[in-house]
Amino acid sequence: MKRIFLIGYMGAGKTTFGRELAKLMNLDFIDLDHFIQNRYNKSIGQLFDQLGEDKFREIEHKLLQEVSEFENVIISTGGGTPCFYDNMEIMNSVGNTVYLKADTYTLSKRLNACKDKRPLIKDKNEEEILHFVTINIAKRELFYNKARLVFETEELTSKEEVSKYVASLKEKLQDTNNV
Ligand code: S3P
């Protein structure tokens, strides 16, 4: 039975990688944010606005526990998922965890281009996003670094590049006997 969690900062490519890796490994794919949105029939932005972040984190924790029972699956999580409750311990105890790591500048650049659906940064300008990411990632890495495997990515500009990285991640997982 295989269960792999992809964790990492917003914009690290968790969903893109998860979808591709699942195809390559012939596993199912679940994106935790999408799972939450479908369950509540609301966007992540609406959940933040209407219920507040604390309640969102409670929902996220509850639904993480639910998807943690699925088998033969790649699960991409939200950027904050590992940093609340005992979510990191849950993931490490029931499956394999991969931290998709990218540098602050790459992340900030990507996030500038698609910040609207992300409540934590949607009202920030380019400079503020870079500042926020720099400070926030330092705190979050305490949790991200608990992952079993750290996989570094650089700028991913083409589909071919993503596929190359995903294939290399698959090999790493197999090499380290992590699946
Ligand atoms: C968040 C990341 C988002 C989403 C929510 C909060 C975070 O997911 O869960 O906006 O705290 O970093 P992505 O990492 O997929 O953007």
Side-chain angles (χ1 to χ4, degrees), residues 17-29 74 159 166:
F17 265 66
R19 207 170 267 134
E20 286 272 317
L21 188 63
K23 265 192 236 155
L24 209 59
M25 296 180 75
N26 209 15
L27 298 171
D28 288 336
F29 172 66
I74 309 266
K159 251 186 132 177
V166 171

Side-chain angles (χ1 to χ4, degrees), residues 26-44:
N26 209 15
L27 298 171
D28 288 336
F29 172 66
I30 295 279
D31 178 276
L32 183 59
D33 276 344
H34 295 166
F35 193 75
I36 295 171
Q37 290 177 155
N38 290 342
R39 175 67 55 89
Y40 286 84
N41 212 10
K42 286 184 183 359
S43 70
I44 299 296

Side-chain angles (χ1 to χ4, degrees), residues 74-155:
I74 309 266
I75 299 160
S76 70
T77 61
T81 314
C83 317
F84 292 85
Y85 296 90
D86 55 349
N87 292 347
M88 202 60 223
E89 283 68 31
I90 292 175
M91 292 188 273
N92 272 331
S93 69
V94 299
N96 195 6
T97 45
V98 179
Y99 169 24
L100 284 188
K101 184 170 179 167
D103 72 81
T104 309
Y105 287 96
T106 305
L107 291 172
S108 302
K109 210 167 103 187
R110 274 190 215 147
L111 289 171
N112 271 306
C114 52
K115 61 179 184 179
D116 295 347
K117 63 182 172 73
R118 293 184 163 103
L120 295 179
I121 51 163
K122 72 173 176 13
D123 298 324
K124 300 191 189 313
N125 66 27
E126 213 173 313
E127 203 182 312
E128 288 166 339
I129 288 181
L130 179 59
H131 180 72
F132 178 79
V133 172
T134 308
I135 309 260
N136 194 225
I137 210 164
K139 293 183 198 152
R140 288 187 166 187
E141 278 212 313
L142 299 174
F143 299 91
Y144 296 160
N145 284 329
K146 292 182 186 172
R148 295 246 159 75
L149 184 71
V150 178
F151 187 77
E152 296 204 24
T153 64
E154 288 162 22
E155 262 201 88

